[in-house]
Amino acid sequence: MESQPAILIIGGSSGIGLALARRHAAEGWRVAVAGSSAAKLESIRAEFPAWQTFAADLRDAEARQRLLADIDAAGLRYRRVVYAAGRYLNERVFTLNRDDSAALLAVNLQAFAESFAWAAAHLQNGGAGGEMVCIASSAGLLDYPYASLYAQCKRAMLACADAYRTALAPFSIRVLAVAPGYVDTAALRALNGGDARHKPFLVSEERAVAEILAALSAGRDTLVFPRRMRLLLALCALLPKPLLAWAMRRKLDKKVLHRPPAGGKQ
């Protein structure tokens, strides 16, 4: 039905993205998801045959352009566009090689920038406003010299969202930047030996979805959750940068023992 609102979630085949897709479908939205895993997308098509699905390796620039062209060609007009793709590798344990660095930059920064540029044009062309959402990370909220590449990418994502928010406000397009703490996703569990319960302030995917939808309903600009994580980060931000860098270095430095398998989701 054309009266149904539609949502596009890039990075929607797993984790928070998939949880958001399920919730929107349950509330009567038309859903489209893009992801890199053929197996995950096949499972989604079997469970939700009405959803549109798109496959792309976001690490590849040509694949990203084909993805956006395919989304355009599908002809669905979206009210809400979410960038939920991400890639993570623990840089305090493992030294990044050239491929690691390229993948982190491609998924967390370059693909995000291209997707948000597309989303802005798509919503402006529709003329009816809408919402753009990016799933960043609380890691991007602290500014200190020792920040990892992952954290720097997420910090840039938050800054980019601020710029789009200002640029698109006259066109009734809202931009929400989400900076969650640890969310109990399959990807996080895989990076922690199958169990992430030791992570501080861990929240469920359902809680994350509820927080995001509440922020959208309230017209929020930025969402940081859970509350205890937000308070901790606010206190850390008050520290002088040299002291913050020293504290983070003491907490995060570990000996590099071996190279890991490829990590993170797209």
Side-chain angles (χ1 to χ4, degrees):
M1 295 173 57
E2 288 299 321
S3 60
Q4 286 180 284
I7 181 172
L8 168 67
I9 305 177
I10 298 173
S13 61
S14 62
I16 297 175
L18 181 56
L20 276 170
R22 290 177 182 274
R23 178 67 175 271
H24 280 79
E27 295 183 356
W29 287 62
R30 300 181 71 180
V31 174
V33 298
S36 62
S37 169
K40 290 177 182 177
L41 291 172
E42 183 60 33
S43 177
I44 287 171
R45 284 191 287 268
E47 185 176 0
F48 301 101
W51 291 15
Q52 287 185 339
T53 59
F54 304 93
D57 182 349
L58 296 180
R59 296 170 299 180
D60 182 82
E62 292 185 0
R64 296 195 297 267
Q65 292 305 308
R66 288 195 299 270
L67 168 65
L68 297 177
D70 289 344
I71 293 171
D72 275 329
L76 194 59
R77 177 59 57 183
Y78 301 104
R79 180 186 299 179
R80 188 172 286 171
V81 179
V82 180
Y83 189 85
R87 191 171 182 86
Y88 174 80
L89 191 64
N90 191 335
E91 299 165 52
R92 306 311 181 197
V93 179
F94 307 111
T95 301
L96 299 183
N97 60 31
R98 179 177 177 177
D99 289 341
D100 295 331
S101 296
L104 283 166
L105 286 170
V107 177
N108 297 322
L109 196 56
Q110 295 159 358
F112 158 71
E114 292 170 17
S115 297
F116 246 45
W118 176 90
H122 178 86
L123 293 176
Q124 284 180 285
N125 291 339
E131 294 157 324
M132 293 162 54
V133 181
C134 62
I135 309 298
S137 170
S138 59
L141 294 170
L142 294 179
D143 182 15
Y144 60 101
Y146 191 53
S148 67
L149 176 57
Y150 174 82
Q152 296 284 15
C153 287
K154 295 301 184 178
R155 186 171 181 80
M157 181 182 288
L158 293 169
C160 187
D162 285 343
Y164 271 103
R165 186 179 303 113
T166 300
L168 298 176
F171 307 102
S172 300
I173 299 171
R174 294 188 297 165
V175 178
L176 172 65
V178 182
Y182 291 107
V183 179
D184 192 14
T185 63
L188 182 64
R189 292 192 294 273
L191 288 167
N192 289 274
D195 188 348
R197 287 178 293 179
H198 64 286
K199 291 294 185 181
F201 316 132
L202 185 70
V203 300
S204 67
E205 290 180 353
E206 292 74 20
R207 165 77 180 279
V209 168
E211 293 272 7
I212 293 168
L213 294 182
L216 285 168
S217 295
R220 298 269 299 278
D221 291 343
T222 305
L223 169 64
V224 183
F225 68 92
R227 183 172 181 270
R228 288 184 294 172
M229 177 68 80
R230 183 169 70 250
L231 292 174
L232 176 61
L233 291 169
L235 290 173
C236 289
L238 296 176
L239 296 174
K241 283 187 180 181
L243 180 57
L244 177 60
W246 174 83
M248 296 299 286
R249 185 182 294 273
R250 280 180 60 86
K251 179 176 177 57
L252 297 175
D253 261 350
K254 295 179 178 65
K255 185 177 180 180
V256 177
L257 297 177
H258 61 278
R259 292 291 309 153
K265 59 163 281 187
Q266 290 183 47

